[in-house]
Amino acid sequence: MHVVPSICTFCGVGCGLGLRVEEGRVIGVEPQPGHPVSEGQLCAKGWACSFAVEPAGRLREPLVRENGRLRPASWEEALARTAEGFQLALDELGPSGVGVISCAHASNEDNYAAQKFARAVLGTHNIDHCARICHSPSVAGLGRTLGSGAMSGGIADIDQADLLLVIGADVTENHAMIGARLLRAQARGATLIVVDPRRTRLARLADIHLQLRLGSNIALLNGLLHLILANGWEDRAFLAARCEGEAALRHHLANFDLAQCCVQTGLALAELERVAYLFSHARAAFTAYGMGITQFQSGTNNVIAVSNLVLACGQSGRPGTGINPLRGQNNVQGACDMGCLPDVYPGYQPAADPAVQARFGAAWGRPAPALPGLTSLAMSEAARRGQLRALMVMGEELVVTDPDQNQLLRALRALDFLVVVELRLSETARLADVVLPAAAFTEKDGTFTNCERRVQRIRQAVAPPGTARADWQILSALAACMGYSGMDWPDAEAVFAEMTALTPLFSAMDYPALAVAHGLQWPCDAAHPQGSPRLHERGFPRGRGRLLPVSQVPLDEVPDADYPFAFTTHRLHFHYGGGAMTRQSPLLERETPLALLFMHPADGAALGLGERQAVRVRSRRGRLETRVHLTDDVPPGTLAMPYHFREAPCNQLTNPAQDPISRMPELKACAVAVEPLAPGVTPRTTERHGRR
Ligand SMILES: Nc1nc2c(c(=O)[nH]1)N[C@H]1C(S)=C(S)[C@@H](COP(=O)(O)OP(=O)(O)OC[C@H]3O[C@@H](n4cnc5c(=O)[nH]c(N)nc54)[C@H](O)[C@@H]3O)O[C@H]1N2
Ligand SMILES: Nc1nc2c(c(=O)[nH]1)N[C@H]1C(S)=C(S)[C@@H](COP(=O)(O)OP(=O)(O)OC[C@H]3O[C@@H](n4cnc5c(=O)[nH]c(N)nc54)[C@H](O)[C@@H]3O)O[C@H]1N2
Ligand code: SF4
Ligand SMILES: [Mo]
């Protein structure tokens, strides 16, 4: 047996692991001792990495659709079919009629290749990925206030904080090794404050849990800020030296109605005063937030409200402070950094800037595409209208993870051509015209970028199953098939080198430098050859930090007589995303085998429901059947459901209403009705979506 160093394939914490390889198989994993993030530990999912990519059940060869069925095909045939599918759409509609959705589990090299394929080969900025429905409001909101949407501190900053403010993030479940670090900081004396409508495990352990009403973040954050300004608790020196927009913010909050704030949030004034005092008086406050802030139609404004609070109290730019969006997927930071977004090239170079267009145009030998490009949900809308005809989905399980499943299915079925690049025959791949088998993270070289901007190497430990290849190799072959030779790289290192040569943020990075310690944090350029562990120490990327007045935005859909419950969606520790990877592990599956609807016992009693009784849940968009779990984790009137289960997909119910700025759908709130099924009845599985 030998051990190959690698990085966990699940969440954005980016824990270091060793792949135990025996006779060409990954037989298990072990933690990397001395890794700066995971410090020699892994969570339950990390330990299950080898199940996630186990060759059994993986795609071994391409598949093409013939007479309605998928059958095995050669790479030549599958690539030719794919090239033809794109070409027909291009001939008919031009580059606006095609698109690519890339993968936040895949490497930086894969994602660089995906956006280059979209821009240089297809000639479109229609390139996006799951960051759209994850932290796009952070990119937009912190972009406006600071000039950059990345986490400002590093994970190690937690060790230096004396106050930890966690808003809308279930950290012990979803960023487990960061959760452990928060609890360790609390044990040495830091105050832990959790803001969440659910009583999560972390909320139960916190010194203060603000159990606000679903969707009332801005009311709460403005209330805290109003109290801070009214009492003179703000950081005057920081505001004068580092910020702008203070007068407008003061004016906006001067006549703030605290009584109304307490009604909107459901919190007592004394709770707000205590938190306002503690946060503004902390020596170093570390602020982290997640999907409970971003996944609303007010997502961008929610992020701005967090930013206002942190800037006004000067809790930024010093050890132990900062605004820290906890990025979700192992390489979602990297997929954004690589330019898999419709409005930026790699390194956030604006697609609208003529100088940037000229640089990439010259390097790639193809003119810059027309603007604007479409976001992922806009691509679905265009498909439903017949204005987008051919789509590549590289490693996303859209059928389970996009909002409003029935609407998404209508979009995929309306396409003339769908190609899915996947590890397994996912629900989304079942709908494809062509399925291409991808190599998993253990089967390729490359890099992942974690939530603290740390670019780390992954290394090929074993051969891919069958004829599967790395995503970048598939895109390179497809580009050649479509007459473009500019993606003919010899290896992953060459892809990385091309990227760094075109991307100032990464200009001093190369594979040898990344291998010295445990990666490097960007910016990493001539001025920062050792990378940048902490951002914003002297200035913000946009210069001064900007305070921007925002007001509470009502939810798009609130409970009424027909749909009397508020409904929210969340995650469970033992499962991940659409479940395609974690549900391969018997161990993880045993821990959480069922999709459950979390309901307060008082609501259960009112509906006459016993524990685990079967129910039907309906929204204006769809329905599902599942079992209830009666628990005071949720307040009365609010139901919660994890989104990992294809047999009871909560995205049947969710609302696609979008944030006008970032196009984030309101995944965290909609209205539903619940009907008990007869005692003894087994919930029906939501039908498989197989056919086109
Ligand atoms: N085990 C596991 N870990 C994961 C993932 C996974 O699927 N499984 N996915 C990864 C990904 S892609 C991501 S993006 C991250 C996400 O990690 P988190 O951001 O922690 O994700 P969620 O559990 O969806 O939502 C966080 C919390 O927001 C709360 N919330 C809901 N509404 C509101 C509100 O109005 N205000 C406030 N303040 N809070 C609210 C919910 O109750 C929930 O506890 O996790 C990553 N890690
Ligand atoms: N209701 C509701 N819906 C949500 C959310 C929510 O909180 N509530 N959260 C949203 C968020 S934050 C996110 S990030 C999305 C996540 O949505 P997705 O990205 O669709 O979900 P995942 O299940 O994490 O991963 C998708 C696929 O990646 C494949 N994969 C893994 N590695 C590779 C690789 O190297 N190459 C290729 N080609 N494929 C690979 C896996 O097989 C898996 O099927 O879900 C969103 N949907
Ligand atoms: S915390 Fe995240 S990166 Fe670390 S082992 Fe768990 S799933 Fe993997
Ligand atoms: Mo995410």
Side-chain angles (χ1 to χ4, degrees):
M1 188 192 80
H2 65 285
V3 178
V4 179
S6 190
I7 301 298
C8 177
T9 189
F10 290 113
C11 90
V13 177
C15 295
L17 47 81
L19 303 169
R20 293 182 177 158
V21 181
E22 200 175 272
E23 291 175 3
R25 283 190 57 206
V26 179
I27 56 162
V29 304
E30 60 186 43
Q32 256 181 45
H35 189 273
V37 172
S38 40
E39 300 177 305
Q41 291 179 301
L42 294 173
C43 83
K45 290 183 297 303
W47 282 107
C49 268
S50 52
F51 287 103
V53 297
E54 172 64 39
R58 289 270 304 281
L59 292 164
R60 302 177 59 85
E61 58 199 340
L63 305 173
V64 298
R65 189 167 296 275
E66 188 172 273
N67 301 326
R69 292 176 164 273
L70 288 169
R71 63 149 171 91
S74 68
W75 275 98
E76 283 80 13
E77 184 187 4
L79 290 174
R81 279 274 291 265
T82 306
E84 182 194 56
F86 277 123
Q87 200 54 57
L88 285 173
L90 285 167
D91 292 346
E92 206 176 327
L93 294 172
S96 64
V98 298
V100 177
I101 294 185
S102 82
C103 178
H105 289 294
S107 68
N108 286 320
E109 294 71 6
D110 296 328
N111 280 285
Y112 178 82
Q115 58 84 42
K116 184 170 179 182
F117 176 76
R119 293 184 164 118
V121 181
L122 300 178
T124 181
H125 285 302
N126 293 347
I127 166 86
D128 205 5
H129 69 288
C130 67
R132 182 65 44 205
I133 56 179
C134 188
H135 270 292
S136 63
S138 300
V139 176
L142 298 181
R144 279 166 173 71
T145 62
L146 312 177
S148 160
M151 184 160 163
S152 53
I155 293 167
D157 270 299
I158 293 167
D159 302 345
Q160 302 185 56
D162 66 343
L163 187 138
L164 308 155
L165 177 61
V166 177
I167 317 176
D170 194 357
V171 193
T172 45
E173 310 307 300
N174 302 332
H175 293 88
M177 299 318 298
I178 295 184
R181 207 138 174 167
L182 291 172
L183 292 174
R184 192 172 75 191
Q186 185 194 28
R188 64 143 171 81
T191 305
L192 175 62
I193 302 173
V194 172
V195 183
D196 200 302
R198 290 189 310 127
R199 197 173 295 159
T200 60
R201 191 148 55 119
L202 193 66
R204 289 181 193 276
L205 294 169
D207 300 287
I208 299 174
H209 175 202
L210 292 182
Q211 195 172 10
L212 81 176
R213 228 186 272 285
L214 185 67
S216 63
N217 291 301
I218 300 181
L220 167 69
L221 292 159
N222 275 351
L224 296 175
L225 197 47
H226 167 79
L227 287 166
I228 288 164
L229 294 174
N231 286 294
W233 294 338
E234 70 277 16
D235 185 336
R236 296 238 171 86
F238 188 87
L239 283 168
R242 300 279 310 266
C243 301
E244 65 188 39
E246 184 187 339
L249 186 69
R250 280 186 187 277
H251 180 74
H252 179 66
L253 293 175
N255 298 316
F256 186 81
D257 187 341
L258 273 174
Q260 196 196 0
C261 167
C262 292
V263 173
Q264 283 175 333
T265 58
L267 299 169
L269 183 56
E271 291 179 279
L272 299 185
E273 282 172 336
R274 183 156 167 239
V275 170
Y277 179 86
L278 289 172
F279 186 78
S280 55
H281 286 75
R283 178 183 49 75
F286 183 92
T287 303
Y289 70 85
M291 298 298 103
I293 281 289
T294 58
Q295 287 178 334
F296 288 98
Q297 63 165 354
S298 57
T300 303
N301 285 351
N302 290 353
V303 170
I304 290 172
V306 175
S307 174
N308 287 341
L309 177 70
V310 172
L311 291 179
C313 298
Q315 298 291 6
S316 171
R318 286 175 287 116
T321 67
I323 307 176
N324 298 292
L326 300 175
R327 304 302 302 249
Q329 309 263 42
N330 60 303
N331 196 36
V332 68
Q333 182 67 55
C336 291
D337 298 345
M338 292 304 109
C340 289
L341 298 168
D343 55 346
V344 288
Y345 283 93
Y348 307 96
Q349 301 178 77
D353 180 342
V356 172
Q357 293 172 0
R359 168 144 22 100
F360 282 91
W364 293 348
R366 290 284 170 103
L371 288 158
L374 298 177
T375 64
S376 57
L377 297 191
M379 285 190 240
S380 310
E381 283 156 28
R384 281 193 298 279
R385 287 196 309 267
Q387 291 167 350
L388 188 125
R389 296 282 172 79
L391 181 68
M392 171 183 283
V393 177
M394 178 179 126
E396 287 207 353
E397 179 60 308
L398 300 182
V399 170
V400 185
T401 59
D402 255 19
D404 194 350
Q405 187 179 55
N406 291 311
Q407 188 173 278
L408 184 270
L409 288 168
R410 282 193 288 278
L412 295 184
R413 292 198 174 111
L415 291 168
D416 288 340
F417 181 76
L418 173 66
V419 51
V420 173
V421 188
E422 254 294 348
L423 308 186
R424 286 196 174 78
L425 194 62
S426 62
E427 299 297 299
T428 312
R430 285 170 198 277
L431 287 167
D433 299 291
V434 175
V435 181
L436 301 174
F441 80 109
T442 49
E443 300 152 1
K444 58 188 173 189
D445 286 310
T447 53
F448 289 161
T449 307
N450 82 347
C451 67
E452 49 163 17
R453 298 167 281 102
R454 185 185 296 275
V455 182
Q456 308 187 89
R457 277 297 313 278
I458 57 163
R459 296 170 181 84
Q460 178 167 13
V462 293
T467 61
R469 313 172 181 178
D471 296 271
W472 70 262
Q473 291 173 311
I474 295 172
L475 290 157
S476 160
L478 183 58
C481 221
M482 295 183 74
Y484 182 71
S485 60
M487 292 174 59
D488 187 16
W489 301 287
D491 52 24
E493 189 167 8
V495 187
F496 194 80
E498 176 179 317
M499 184 279 290
T500 55
L502 285 164
T503 313
L505 218 47
F506 298 93
S507 60
M509 278 187 197
D510 55 30
Y511 275 16
L514 293 177
V516 172
H518 294 276
L520 290 165
Q521 288 167 274
W522 64 252
C524 181
D525 49 22
H528 313 85
Q530 294 309 311
S532 311
R534 191 176 299 117
L535 299 182
H536 316 333
E537 281 178 308
R538 273 173 289 280
F540 294 103
R542 68 175 297 281
R544 284 179 169 260
R546 184 159 29 152
L547 301 158
L548 283 170
V550 287
S551 302
Q552 175 64 27
V553 179
L555 296 175
D556 181 69
E557 193 177 72
V558 290
D560 58 18
D562 295 333
Y563 297 94
F565 288 100
F567 178 80
T568 189
T569 61
H570 63 105
R571 293 167 161 73
L572 301 173
H573 179 69
F574 294 103
H575 277 310
Y576 197 95
M581 297 192 290
T582 40
R583 298 192 75 187
Q584 302 301 323
S585 156
L587 205 103
L588 298 179
E589 193 67 354
R590 186 191 69 203
E591 291 295 332
T592 324
L594 283 172
L596 292 172
L597 179 72
F598 292 72
M599 178 184 273
H600 192 274
D603 291 330
L607 290 170
L609 284 168
E611 175 68 12
R612 303 288 157 126
Q613 195 170 328
V615 290
R616 179 176 302 121
V617 192
R618 288 184 296 113
S619 79
R620 286 184 176 78
R621 294 154 294 277
R623 60 175 59 201
L624 58 82
E625 294 184 3
T626 185
R627 294 181 185 278
V628 289
H629 173 47
L630 302 174
T631 168
D632 68 352
D633 282 3
V634 288
T638 300
L639 308 176
M641 197 171 170
Y643 87 111
H644 313 298
F645 301 95
R646 72 181 87 81
E647 62 274 31
C650 66
N651 282 322
Q652 269 286 316
L653 309 171
T654 47
N655 186 354
Q658 284 169 33
D659 176 9
I661 306 171
S662 66
R663 306 319 250 162
M664 161 65 88
E666 193 146 86
L667 286 165
K668 280 285 175 274
C670 69
V672 300
V674 179
E675 293 145 17
L677 300 178
V681 166
T682 306
R684 245 182 323 175
T685 296
T686 298
E687 65 176 86
R688 274 202 112 98
H689 314 286
R691 291 184 57 96
R692 259 160 84 66

